[in-house]
Amino acid sequence: MQSSASERMEVILKHVESPPKKDPFPLQRIPCLSFISAESNSGPPSFDLLTMQKLLDGHNVEERNRTFDLMASSNLFILKHIGGDKFLGADYNQTMEAQREITMDRIRFLTHKGVFRGWLTKNDPETALANSAVHECLGTFDHSLGIKIGVHFHLWGGAIKYLGTERHHKKWLQDTEDYNVKGCFSMTELGHGSNVRGIETITVYNASTQEFIINTPCESAQKYWIGGAANDATHTVVFSQLHINGKKEGVHAFVVQIRDEKGQVCQGIRIADCGHKIGLNGVDNGRIWFDNVRIPRENLLNSVADVTVNGDYISQIEDPEQRFGAFMAPLTSGRVTIATNAVYNAKVGLATAIRYALTRRAFSLSQNTSEVLLLDYPSHQHRLLPLLAKTYAVSFAAVQLKKIYVNRTSADSKLIHVLSSGYKAMCSWHNLNTLQECREACGGQGLKTENRVGQLKAEYDVQLTFEGDNNVLMQQVSKALIGEYFAAKRKGTPLVAFGLKHVNATNASIQTLQNSSALQNKDFQISLFQLRERDLLHRLAAEISDKTSKGTSMAEAMLRSYRLAEDLGHAFSERCVLETFIGVEEDQTDTSIKYLLGKLRALYVLSSIDERAVFLRYGYITPSQAQAIQLEITRLCAEIRPHVLALVDAFGIPRGLLGPIAFDWIKYNSWDYAENKKESRESPSSIITARL
């Protein structure tokens, strides 16, 4: 027994004392990806960034920087701190109520800092441009903030200023500027949006009491989507059908107080919340009913028309159509504002997506080689760089529109209406298309709200609808063009309005050149854009003339020709944008900037041709030219690729307003900065296993 026990002990000792066997498949630590900055994957800028930013912004760069710095100084605007970096933005994960509350808190902060001083009480173009620069910065931070301010100043304040007279200015402008009065704009109804002529709210005049009586006669007449109405607004401008002595005088504007000094809804007013939306939840959109609400006669905004004490209707504008157009004037500023603000949010998306593409790698082309940068894939360049080129193009156009607007005279009203309609549609469509492509180009990271791109898409979707449905606006552009065309034909005079002088030329075809220098030549490009516009205008005129000759009304003929009309609207807008781009390019003395603008202009034009079926449909280019254009787009993307970081840095968007993935996305997603992390109760071995 003892011998047997000794033998077993010897066996055990051998196992204990002998060295462990070597594992044929040991666990090995694989080197992790390390972040390499976008700057390291790009060459140094070949041009002065500030000079380019001043071209893009067009004015008040210093004012913009001060506004961004002011926001960065307050926790009201800071979304989160990650390491030593500070990111600004709205928290879209908050409840609707919380988003509304903090939007109003931000406005109070800005008011206290004097940001809005002079916005309504000063009238010079320089002040208007400075105000616009600030508003664009605030809208870049958060759409709800921009819209809430825009409704208060541009719509309510603009209506008081431009539709009212001195008595209204004295009573409301300063209080509006100081936010003692909080205004909203009651035009849209449940039953009528774009068709303002059809609104159903009714106002009658009572001469015995010298009061107007406003009434919501049916449910479809309730005012709908009224920004500011649900919670905060104290006053509103009501657009209503005015009836005087049984005669319908058309749409007029009236000032109505809807809440008292204590915030209680006034007698005869009913207000309901429009509820949660797909975006823009920091704006308290509401619905309003008027139950025989009485207001003083003086509350009619009377710059266009007035009603005397005795109830007589008077106006210096006899034509009802022209009178209606004068009442719609406040909408023009809204369209100008949307066009410019849309461009800035496309810039946020592009700056984030392009910076990410300059740091993120995917797939190797062969074994034992590094993965390829996303932006070095031709397909990725094709996704983003034409959008970059178009963003430069519409930036220049929006700046020009804004300057025409702030320096406007009565002679400019038609041009502003047509340009603002076309550009509002073009820029807002471009913004949504850009944000969608940037969201996809950022992969899964594009889904995170903190990275901004995906959320901005939802926040700015409404731009396609408010201040005019985009498709309707493009038809309005064509309606104006065709009106000028037929008027010139009747008078036997050449076309001159809206830059249409080229329509007087013969409808000659463009030479079928397809070499690189020809395709990038600005004379070739503008000729091709003019050919498209000219031919579509002739086609639309011929189609309408044919229909009307068979008894169809002009209005119905225009409606039935909607596809040609929308194509013409795009052609007009894109031709105007190109002409502005060429003007900016030709004004440059810096050869490096001029060279890059030429490349961007060519990429904008050729990618626009590639996207629009009408160029092939009507034979403006040949199939072989279309193929050459596709190849040229690829070449242009490769030529622009070394400059893309500088081109997006020239947007001047502060680092804190871009998504974290625009920078060190590995650090920002590390365990050290994980949100709500708890003390781990795992054993050391389980942590090692998890890391391996």
Side-chain angles (χ1 to χ4, degrees):
M1 290 291 292
Q2 186 175 3
S3 175
S4 177
S6 298
E7 289 175 358
R8 286 198 299 272
M9 182 60 71
E10 288 179 7
V11 171
I12 292 170
L13 287 172
K14 286 180 180 179
H15 281 286
V16 172
E17 294 171 356
S18 61
K21 292 182 179 179
K22 189 175 181 180
D23 190 338
F25 303 105
L27 290 173
Q28 295 181 355
R29 183 178 296 276
I30 299 172
C32 287
L33 290 172
S34 59
F35 176 81
I36 299 175
S37 69
E39 287 77 7
S40 299
N41 290 322
S42 302
S46 63
F47 58 90
D48 182 69
L49 297 182
L50 182 58
T51 301
M52 188 72 91
Q53 184 186 345
K54 287 180 177 179
L55 286 178
L56 289 164
D57 287 333
H59 59 91
N60 296 97
V61 171
E62 295 79 9
E63 191 76 33
R64 295 172 197 274
N65 292 336
R66 282 194 294 271
T67 303
F68 286 133
D69 289 343
L70 179 61
M71 287 191 286
S73 72
S74 170
N75 286 331
L76 285 169
F77 299 88
I78 298 170
L79 182 62
K80 63 169 56 180
H81 295 269
I82 307 179
D85 296 313
K86 186 163 44 178
F87 288 95
L88 280 63
D91 185 356
Y92 299 115
N93 298 314
Q94 290 181 316
T95 64
M96 178 181 72
E97 292 75 18
Q99 289 186 55
R100 290 177 175 183
E101 183 178 351
I102 197 169
T103 299
M104 201 62 225
D105 286 343
R106 288 166 181 149
I107 290 173
R108 292 188 189 98
F109 169 83
L110 295 166
T111 305
H112 176 70
K113 293 294 184 180
V115 169
F116 306 123
R117 195 171 295 127
W119 275 38
L120 291 170
T121 53
K122 291 184 179 180
N123 298 306
D124 57 285
E126 292 77 16
T127 297
L129 287 173
N131 299 345
S132 175
V134 172
H135 191 219
E136 286 157 11
C137 294
L138 299 177
T140 304
F141 165 81
D142 175 39
H143 197 205
S144 288
L145 180 62
I147 291 301
K148 186 94 168 172
I149 291 168
V151 168
H152 178 75
F153 282 104
H154 298 314
L155 295 182
W156 154 266
I160 298 296
K161 190 168 184 175
Y162 300 117
L163 296 182
T165 52
E166 187 176 0
R167 70 190 189 209
H168 307 107
H169 300 166
K170 286 182 177 179
K171 188 171 183 178
W172 284 299
L173 285 186
Q174 188 63 60
D175 275 348
T176 297
E177 201 172 275
D178 296 337
Y179 263 95
N180 296 322
V181 163
K182 301 179 186 71
C184 61
F185 191 79
S186 296
M187 177 179 282
T188 300
E189 296 179 353
L190 177 62
H192 291 88
S194 296
N195 180 20
V196 179
R197 280 189 180 85
I199 60 175
E200 299 172 285
T201 302
I202 293 173
T203 298
V204 297
Y205 181 66
N206 185 331
S208 63
T209 61
Q210 296 183 30
E211 292 175 316
F212 289 105
I213 303 171
I214 303 178
N215 189 47
T216 302
C218 53
E219 286 297 346
S220 59
Q222 63 182 270
K223 294 298 180 180
Y224 215 101
W225 295 123
I226 311 306
N231 286 12
D232 299 318
T234 60
H235 293 70
T236 191
V237 170
V238 180
F239 284 79
S240 173
Q241 301 287 357
L242 176 60
H243 292 217
I244 297 292
N245 299 322
K247 182 182 178 183
K248 185 177 177 180
E249 298 290 355
V251 176
H252 290 64
F254 305 84
V255 175
V256 179
Q257 185 169 353
I258 60 175
R259 286 186 176 87
D260 62 21
E261 292 76 10
K262 296 180 180 179
Q264 300 300 310
V265 176
C266 294
Q267 185 177 356
I269 306 287
R270 289 178 287 148
I271 298 177
D273 204 312
C274 287
H276 197 273
K277 308 179 288 288
I278 63 171
L280 210 64
N281 282 302
V283 176
D284 51 317
N285 293 94
R287 301 180 281 150
I288 309 177
W289 292 258
F290 302 92
D291 300 327
N292 294 314
V293 175
R294 292 176 176 267
I295 60 171
R297 181 184 68 89
E298 291 79 11
N299 282 25
L300 167 66
L301 296 178
N302 63 337
S303 69
V304 176
D306 206 350
V307 174
T308 67
V309 171
N310 297 326
D312 296 323
Y313 181 80
I314 54 175
S315 176
Q316 293 182 342
I317 305 176
E318 294 184 7
D319 184 349
E321 286 292 313
Q322 291 182 8
R323 201 158 58 229
F324 176 76
F327 279 120
M328 294 303 101
L331 282 180
T332 305
S333 68
R335 289 170 186 164
V336 173
T337 301
I338 291 169
T340 54
N341 274 299
V343 175
Y344 278 92
N345 289 279
K347 291 176 182 178
V348 172
L350 281 167
T352 299
I354 285 175
R355 277 187 159 272
Y356 185 58
L358 283 166
T359 61
R360 179 65 185 253
R361 295 177 178 272
F363 304 106
S364 302
L365 299 183
S366 61
Q367 287 186 344
N368 302 319
T369 60
S370 299
E371 292 181 287
V372 179
L373 274 175
L374 292 183
L375 203 59
D376 285 338
Y377 283 102
S379 59
H380 210 79
Q381 293 174 10
H382 203 141
R383 298 180 76 171
L384 297 178
L385 301 196
L387 295 172
L388 174 64
K390 189 170 183 178
T391 299
Y392 266 72
V394 294
S395 286
F396 299 142
V399 167
Q400 184 199 47
L401 170 63
K402 190 175 9 174
K403 289 183 177 179
I404 293 172
Y405 180 75
V406 300
N407 293 288
R408 66 193 178 280
T409 65
S410 57
D412 298 320
S413 57
K414 281 188 178 181
L415 175 63
I416 291 171
H417 168 68
V418 176
L419 274 181
S420 66
S421 296
Y423 284 5
K424 182 267 182 181
M426 185 178 178
C427 292
S428 58
W429 267 326
H430 170 65
N431 183 32
L432 264 291
N433 291 338
T434 300
L435 291 172
Q436 176 62 36
E437 198 63 57
C438 289
R439 206 295 300 157
E440 294 182 41
C442 290
Q445 290 294 327
L447 300 175
K448 294 187 70 175
T449 54
E450 71 173 14
N451 289 327
R452 302 206 70 195
V453 180
Q455 186 67 42
L456 286 176
K457 193 160 58 76
E459 291 294 311
Y460 284 86
D461 189 285
V462 67
Q463 286 185 332
L464 278 58
T465 301
F466 64 17
E467 304 292 352
D469 175 89
N470 280 2
N471 290 289
V472 174
L473 289 179
M474 280 303 186
Q475 291 179 49
Q476 284 188 16
V477 170
S478 294
K479 184 178 179 181
L481 301 186
I482 204 71
E484 291 291 330
Y485 180 91
F486 283 133
K489 288 289 185 184
R490 285 193 303 270
K491 296 174 184 176
T493 57
L495 265 173
V496 293
F498 310 135
L500 294 175
K501 289 181 181 178
H502 68 91
V503 176
N504 303 313
T506 57
N507 204 21
S509 60
I510 298 295
Q511 287 183 310
T512 57
L513 301 172
Q514 54 193 58
N515 60 72
S516 183
S517 61
L519 293 177
Q520 293 192 35
N521 181 271
K522 63 178 180 289
D523 294 328
F524 166 80
Q525 293 166 0
I526 194 63
S527 296
L528 187 55
F529 270 32
Q530 288 176 344
L531 170 63
R532 171 183 51 158
E533 183 183 24
R534 187 163 61 244
D535 182 62
L536 288 171
L537 184 56
H538 288 315
R539 286 176 185 272
L540 180 59
E543 194 168 293
I544 289 173
S545 297
D546 179 63
K547 287 180 169 62
T548 53
S549 69
K550 297 174 182 176
T552 304
S553 69
M554 178 71 173
E556 185 176 352
M558 191 74 184
L559 289 176
R560 291 182 179 276
S561 302
Y562 74 95
R563 296 188 72 174
L564 267 177
E566 289 181 16
D567 284 340
L568 176 58
H570 284 287
F572 167 81
S573 302
E574 291 177 353
R575 186 263 301 167
C576 290
V577 168
L578 176 56
E579 287 180 343
T580 303
F581 202 142
I582 290 172
V584 172
E585 181 187 345
E586 290 179 341
D587 285 343
Q588 300 314 302
T589 56
D590 185 314
T591 55
S592 58
I593 287 180
K594 192 165 189 170
Y595 167 80
L596 276 176
L597 290 182
K599 295 297 179 183
L600 290 168
R601 181 251 308 149
L603 184 55
Y604 157 63
V605 171
L606 298 182
S607 56
S608 297
I609 295 169
D610 192 44
E611 292 166 5
R612 298 280 178 208
V614 294
F615 284 96
L616 276 171
R617 182 186 301 149
Y618 299 119
Y620 309 144
I621 60 172
T622 65
S624 61
Q625 255 184 319
Q627 294 172 19
I629 284 170
Q630 280 199 332
L631 292 174
E632 193 62 26
I633 290 170
T634 301
R635 276 195 291 269
L636 281 166
C637 286
E639 290 178 12
I640 292 170
R641 156 63 180 94
H643 308 280
V644 289
L645 181 60
L647 289 170
V648 296
D649 283 352
F651 289 160
I653 307 295
R655 179 186 178 96
L657 278 173
L658 301 181
I661 54 167
F663 308 104
D664 190 344
W665 41 271
I666 294 179
K667 181 180 80 171
Y668 297 146
N669 284 284
S670 69
W671 175 255
D672 289 339
Y673 301 116
E675 294 186 66
N676 303 319
K677 64 182 181 182
K678 299 177 181 178
E679 288 293 327
S680 173
R681 294 189 179 137
E682 297 174 298
S683 68
S685 61
S686 63
I687 293 175
I688 293 170
T689 303
R691 287 179 178 172
L692 289 172

